[in-house]
């Protein structure tokens, strides 16, 4: 069955420290992968996406993610976290034949940033 | 270019009632997807509409229904509301082969 797992429910990092949020997926075909961010009471904003090609993808706000097929992972990274990065982060896989179709989301990781 | 908009922002209903939520898609997008996000959870796919036809459905009962209009805006209807229907309902628009852009959501509370 198609699924996304975000092993870390809650992460706390100090401002200026590096960040890595983990995401593992289960999907039979070549996945379309996404990271979204959600601030409290808000909708989802797309940070970055992987469809094909270069396995290291750059996104907005200084985020990047690396697709590793052998590990079924798509971890999100940022070299230096800012206080404004505190939010909920969701990894998602696009399930559909040749298009993004429905998105299957992980449970999310809450990021807290310490001053 | 306007983004995805949803109305209303908040809604309170009682068990057994019916509700209609609305979504206006982003300009140029012909596909609308609806998701339910319970508190502390990731969004769950309800269904998708492409050119006014249902194009996939998640594991939701038939009392969840939808429509897409010629201008690609959409409605989500939920009949016979249950307490567990309390959630944030998210609408996302896209072209069929591109990423989905989400609206701010409608917070539904069922008492």
């Amino acid at each position: 069955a198609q699924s996304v797992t975000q092993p870390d429910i809650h992460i706390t990092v100090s401002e200026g420290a590096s960040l890595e949020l983990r995401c593992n997926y289960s999907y039979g075909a070549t996945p379309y992968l996404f990271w979204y961010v959600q601030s409290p009471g808000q909708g989802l904003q797309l940070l970055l996406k992987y469809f094909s090609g270069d396995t290291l993808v750059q996104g907005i706000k200084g985020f990047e993610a690396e697709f590793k097929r052998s590990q079924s992972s798509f971890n999100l990274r940022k070299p230096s976290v800012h206080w404004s990065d505190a939010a909920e982060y969701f990894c998602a896989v696009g399930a559909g034949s040749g298009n993004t179709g429905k998105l299957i989301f992980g449970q999310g990781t809450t990021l807290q940033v310490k001053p | 270019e306007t983004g995805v908009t949803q109305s209303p922002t908040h809604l309170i209903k009682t068990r057994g009632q019916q509700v209609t939520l609305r979504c206006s898609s982003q300009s140029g997008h012909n596909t609308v997807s609806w998701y339910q996000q319970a508190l502390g959870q990731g969004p769950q796919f309800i269904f998708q509409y492409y050119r006014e036809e249902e194009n996939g459905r998640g594991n939701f009962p038939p009392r969840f229904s939808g429509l897409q209009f010629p201008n690609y805006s959409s409605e989500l209807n939920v009949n016979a509301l249950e307490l567990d229907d309390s959630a944030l309902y998210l609408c996302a628009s896209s072209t069929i082969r591109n990423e989905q852009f989400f609206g701010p959501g409608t917070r539904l509370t069922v008492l």
Side-chain angles (χ1 to χ4, degrees):
Chain A
Q2 303 154 350
S3 66
V4 175
T5 302
Q6 294 180 244
D8 305 305
I9 303 298
H10 192 109
I11 282 184
T12 300
V13 300
S14 298
E15 190 169 15
S18 63
L19 171 71
E20 182 169 31
L21 302 182
R22 296 183 291 164
C23 172
N24 294 98
Y25 67 90
S26 173
Y27 188 66
T30 300
Y32 297 86
L33 294 162
F34 307 84
W35 274 99
Y36 284 87
V37 62
Q38 185 177 37
S39 297
Q42 301 298 311
L44 302 173
Q45 181 183 22
L46 179 68
L47 286 176
L48 47 78
K49 63 183 185 287
Y50 172 78
F51 283 1
S52 65
D54 193 348
T55 57
L56 184 64
V57 293
Q58 303 297 320
I60 62 171
K61 305 184 179 185
F63 285 94
E64 66 177 26
E66 185 171 14
F67 169 58
K68 293 185 177 180
R69 184 187 300 275
S70 62
Q71 299 178 18
S72 297
S73 69
F74 189 57
N75 294 347
L76 182 71
R77 301 194 293 249
K78 187 171 184 178
S80 178
V81 169
H82 187 262
W83 64 267
S84 61
D85 293 324
E88 187 89 14
Y89 291 80
F90 292 96
C91 179
V93 62
S97 55
N99 61 62
T100 54
K102 69 177 182 179
L103 294 176
I104 299 170
F105 286 86
Q107 189 175 358
T109 298
T110 301
L111 173 64
Q112 183 179 0
V113 181
K114 293 190 302 184
Chain B
E1 178 179 288
T2 58
V4 179
T5 60
Q6 293 185 243
S7 62
T9 305
H10 295 87
L11 203 53
I12 299 175
K13 292 286 188 177
T14 56
R15 198 167 45 180
Q17 284 189 311
Q18 178 267 342
V19 68
T20 297
L21 310 181
R22 295 178 175 83
C23 171
S24 291
S25 58
Q26 187 166 316
S27 176
H29 289 181
N30 55 18
T31 303
V32 173
S33 304
W34 285 92
Y35 294 81
Q36 179 195 66
Q37 185 179 18
L39 202 60
Q41 302 296 316
Q44 298 288 317
F45 175 75
I46 303 175
F47 44 58
Q48 182 182 82
Y49 279 83
Y50 170 61
R51 293 185 174 179
E52 303 178 57
E53 297 288 330
E54 188 176 289
N55 183 47
R57 187 179 182 93
N59 188 27
F60 281 81
R63 59 189 185 84
F64 285 77
S65 63
L67 282 173
Q68 188 181 29
F69 300 100
N71 66 355
Y72 302 131
S73 65
S74 177
E75 286 183 355
L76 164 65
N77 298 289
V78 187
N79 293 322
L81 283 167
E82 300 177 359
L83 297 179
D84 285 348
D85 295 333
S86 295
L88 180 68
Y89 288 85
L90 295 164
C91 165
S93 76
S94 61
T95 56
I96 196 64
R97 291 184 178 274
N98 279 297
E99 66 266 25
Q100 298 180 18
F101 294 87
F102 284 80
T106 293
R107 173 72 62 188
L108 173 65
T109 302
V110 182
L111 302 176

